[in-house]
């Protein structure tokens, strides 16, 4: 947990959990998850915290240590 907090503070990441870091020869990947929170169902209007689906999204940012 301490490592995760250090990485979040270092990279200024808020409200995410760092799951994995992949350090390749020419790239660095951070695998993060957002925290689950309650939402209102668009069909019935009730509040739920159930997850409908998961997705992976790539986000490009500035290079770190001359790596993508």
């Amino acid at each position: 947990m301490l490592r995760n907090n250090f990485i979040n503070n270092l990279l200024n990441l808020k409200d995410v959990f760092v799951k994995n870091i992949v350090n390749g020869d020419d790239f660095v990947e951070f695998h993060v998850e957002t925290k689950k929170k309650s939402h209102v169902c668009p069909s019935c209007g009730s509040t739920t915290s159930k997850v409908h689906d998961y997705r992976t999204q790539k986000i490009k940012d500035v290079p770190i240590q001359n790596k993508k």
Side-chain angles (χ1 to χ4, degrees):
M1 189 66 167
L2 181 61
R3 178 176 167 244
N4 187 44
N5 287 336
F6 176 75
I7 292 168
N8 285 10
N9 290 338
L10 179 68
L11 299 175
N12 197 24
L13 299 173
K14 294 184 169 98
D15 298 328
V16 296
F17 178 68
V18 179
K19 297 290 284 182
N20 191 18
I21 299 173
V22 179
N23 196 354
D25 291 335
D26 62 345
F27 67 91
V28 177
E29 288 181 357
F30 295 92
H31 297 247
V32 300
E33 285 184 2
T34 56
K35 297 175 183 173
K36 254 191 350 181
K37 55 184 176 181
S38 297
H39 294 282
V40 176
C41 175
S43 298
C44 67
S46 64
T47 303
T48 182
S49 61
K50 293 184 180 179
V51 177
H52 177 69
D53 66 352
Y54 294 92
R55 67 184 172 116
T56 301
Q57 183 174 356
K58 289 187 177 184
I59 302 171
K60 292 184 180 181
D61 203 349
V62 295
I64 297 175
Q65 300 174 348
N66 295 323
K67 296 180 181 184
K68 299 178 191 174

